[in-house]
Amino acid sequence: MRDYPLIDCTKKYHSIMVFDKNKNVLVHRWYPFVEGYSKEFIEDILQELPFIPQCAMEPFCGSGTTPVELQNHGIRCYSFEVSPFMHLLAKVKLERTYDEAILKSYRDKVAEALSNPENDIRSLEAIPFGDTVVKK
C-alpha cells in the first residue's frame, strides 16, 4: 500500500479559500455562501494539475463554485448537494440556455407590477390571526 503525504496548503491558499472574493464575480455573487470559497481557488488547483481533467466529482456542491468554474473550462463535473436550496442555487447558476426575450418579458412584467402597487393590501390578503398578530 502506498502512503500519501498530508500536505497543509492553508498558507498557500488562505487568501483565496474565502467566498468574499466572489462578491463582485458574476453568477457567484448571487448568494453569499459563507462556507464557500473563491473561484480563484479552483483556478489555482487547475493550474497545478499536470493535465486538464475531462471529468471531476464534487460531493459537496454547496452554491456551485466548483461545477460552475469547471463548466467554464469545458470540464464535466458530477456534483451532489443535500440541501434543496443550495441544489437549486447551483442548478440555476449552471444554466446557460437563457432566452433573452423571455427574461426581458419577465423584467417588464415585474416593472409594471411595481409601477402600479395595490393601495389596500388587505383587499388581496386578509390579516392572519394567531398568537403573533395583534389586532388593532
Side-chain angles (χ1 to χ4, degrees):
M1 184 177 207
R2 186 184 229 181
D3 288 329
Y4 292 96
L6 177 63
I7 302 170
D8 185 356
C9 295
T10 307
K11 289 181 182 177
K12 180 177 182 179
Y13 290 119
H14 177 71
S15 66
I16 59 175
M17 285 184 68
V18 292
F19 186 80
D20 287 353
K21 290 206 169 254
N22 284 346
K23 284 184 177 179
N24 297 317
V25 179
L26 182 66
V27 178
H28 293 298
R29 68 179 178 210
W30 291 355
Y31 182 78
F33 189 48
V34 179
E35 295 83 2
Y37 41 83
S38 71
K39 75 182 208 94
E40 293 170 345
F41 180 59
I42 301 303
E43 296 285 338
D44 274 16
I45 289 174
L46 287 174
Q47 289 177 10
E48 284 185 14
L49 295 175
F51 61 92
I52 299 296
Q54 294 180 355
C55 183
M57 185 179 85
E58 168 60 287
F60 308 103
C61 181
S63 65
T65 301
T66 300
V68 166
E69 289 310 306
L70 293 180
Q71 182 181 56
N72 290 341
H73 286 275
I75 301 169
R76 178 174 293 181
C77 181
Y78 293 95
S79 54
F80 307 90
E81 179 53 52
V82 296
S83 165
F85 171 72
M86 299 310 279
H87 174 263
L88 177 62
L89 176 63
K91 186 176 174 182
V92 170
K93 288 168 66 173
L94 285 161
E95 180 62 47
R96 300 296 166 105
T97 58
Y98 293 109
D99 184 309
E100 184 178 358
I102 292 173
L103 288 172
K104 285 181 178 180
S105 73
Y106 286 143
R107 178 202 60 198
D108 294 344
K109 287 177 184 178
V110 170
E112 183 178 337
L114 292 174
S115 67
N116 299 314
E118 182 66 44
N119 288 331
D120 181 16
I121 191 80
R122 295 296 167 223
S123 67
L124 298 174
E125 186 68 35
I127 297 176
F129 296 105
D131 296 337
T132 60
V133 177
V134 177
K135 288 196 264 183
K136 289 191 178 183

